[in-house]
Amino acid sequence: MSFAEDQLLPISALQHLLFCERQCALIHLERAWADNLYTAEGNSLHAKAHEGKPETRDGERITRGLPLRSLTLGLTGIADIVLWRPPPGQPLKGRTLAEAIRLAPSLAGWSVTPVEYKRGKPKKNDCDKVQLCAQAICLEEMHNIVIPSGQIFYGKDRRRTEVPLEEAIRATTRDAARRFHQMMELGVTPTARHEKKCDTCSLVEICLPQSMERKSAIAFIHQELSSRRAKDVSQDM
Ligand code: SF4
């Protein structure tokens, strides 16, 4: 399946989807947003990563804030940093990336590595890896290359972690993109379920998971009582 340019959705939504489907729907369907300390820190880290001009260090070109898109995933976004290393014997020699790419017959043999900036430390779930993988798939599709791994820079450790982009994480990424498109098409926000992760969610005051759970419990009791009453009436008749 291939999406049209006007059907593309933001890559950043995949991390919301994997964190909590309701959070994803609140942000992307209902346009609700609230910052907390975690999101504010994350935004500032991304802004810093995007700052500055492209540069060449140790024979490697570094681009920042690069626009991306994939028509197969139906996603668009911005890569914080991408590292472009030409194959041996094809040095950059002060050329810009655009010039180097123009002079090369193809990007075959280049090592291209997306680097995603995240606050905190590596997470137990795949949110960050999926976002990185979606960026890599965009770059692969845009430049007809294969990207075997990417990197995530975590603000707490202040170092980059290598992330192999194997089939399992690619499948999770494709599935997340498909589910996100489906959610946007259906236009239904899932109901809340209060879990431990709600304590770190910036939308907790908008979502009100505990009161929603109470409401649905009360609605359930009412429904049960009415159906029992209806049964009793039919037995009396
Ligand atoms: S408060 Fe909990 S249920 Fe509500 S959006 Fe956040 S994580 Fe999801």
Side-chain angles (χ1 to χ4, degrees):
M1 171 161 184
S2 183
F3 290 88
E5 296 278 352
D6 62 358
Q7 292 176 308
L8 303 185
L9 298 172
I11 291 175
S12 56
L14 300 189
Q15 61 171 344
H16 303 140
L17 186 90
L18 292 189
F19 177 70
C20 168
E21 291 205 0
R22 179 169 165 79
Q23 190 206 56
C24 183
L26 287 172
I27 295 171
H28 300 280
L29 272 174
E30 303 192 19
R31 305 274 164 210
W33 182 252
D35 267 320
N36 64 8
L37 181 66
Y38 305 121
T39 57
E41 271 180 19
N43 291 342
S44 136
L45 203 62
H46 279 295
K48 272 191 197 145
H50 292 187
E51 268 171 20
K53 292 189 175 155
E55 58 178 314
T56 304
R57 265 193 234 158
D58 301 329
E60 190 168 61
R61 192 73 179 159
I62 303 167
T63 53
R64 297 185 167 85
L66 191 73
L68 301 171
R69 66 119 173 84
S70 160
L71 299 181
T72 55
L73 293 178
L75 297 175
T76 182
I78 293 187
D80 286 339
I81 283 182
V82 182
L83 309 174
W84 308 78
R85 182 174 289 281
Q90 204 179 303
L92 284 163
K93 282 188 185 154
R95 295 183 190 111
T96 65
L97 182 65
E99 285 164 351
I101 290 176
R102 206 168 44 241
L103 290 173
S106 75
L107 281 183
W110 282 61
S111 159
V112 180
T113 310
V115 184
E116 173 67 7
Y117 276 60
K118 291 285 174 202
R119 59 163 295 282
K121 54 185 184 178
K123 301 185 181 73
K124 285 182 188 149
N125 63 34
D126 282 335
C127 295
D128 298 343
K129 289 182 191 167
V130 159
Q131 204 178 344
L132 178 75
C133 185
Q135 294 176 8
I137 292 174
C138 288
L139 285 164
E140 289 180 335
E141 204 175 301
M142 290 163 72
H143 295 287
N144 196 21
I145 50 175
V146 176
I147 299 180
S149 64
Q151 296 175 2
I152 303 179
F153 175 92
Y154 283 101
K156 185 156 188 200
D157 301 350
R158 303 212 59 77
R159 63 185 173 84
R160 292 182 194 166
T161 303
E162 188 84 10
V163 180
L165 299 172
E166 289 157 349
E167 181 47 32
I169 195 69
R170 287 172 184 267
T172 307
T173 305
R174 288 193 297 269
D175 184 59
R178 182 192 56 74
R179 281 165 46 214
F180 180 41
H181 270 275
Q182 200 173 41
M183 170 187 277
M184 296 302 281
E185 226 171 273
L186 291 175
V188 178
T189 301
T191 49
R193 255 188 43 206
H194 186 254
E195 294 177 55
K196 195 167 179 343
K197 65 185 173 191
C198 298
D199 298 343
T200 59
C201 176
S202 65
L203 296 190
V204 67
E205 297 296 328
I206 296 169
C207 169
L208 300 173
Q210 277 158 316
S211 74
M212 274 206 68
E213 270 192 348
R214 270 200 299 276
K215 266 191 211 155
S216 49
I218 291 167
F220 174 77
I221 291 164
H222 276 297
Q223 201 180 346
E224 279 291 294
L225 286 174
S226 337
S227 73
R228 271 185 214 173
R229 263 189 227 120
K231 253 191 222 162
D232 291 347
V233 169
S234 70
Q235 276 166 4
D236 289 348
M237 286 170 72

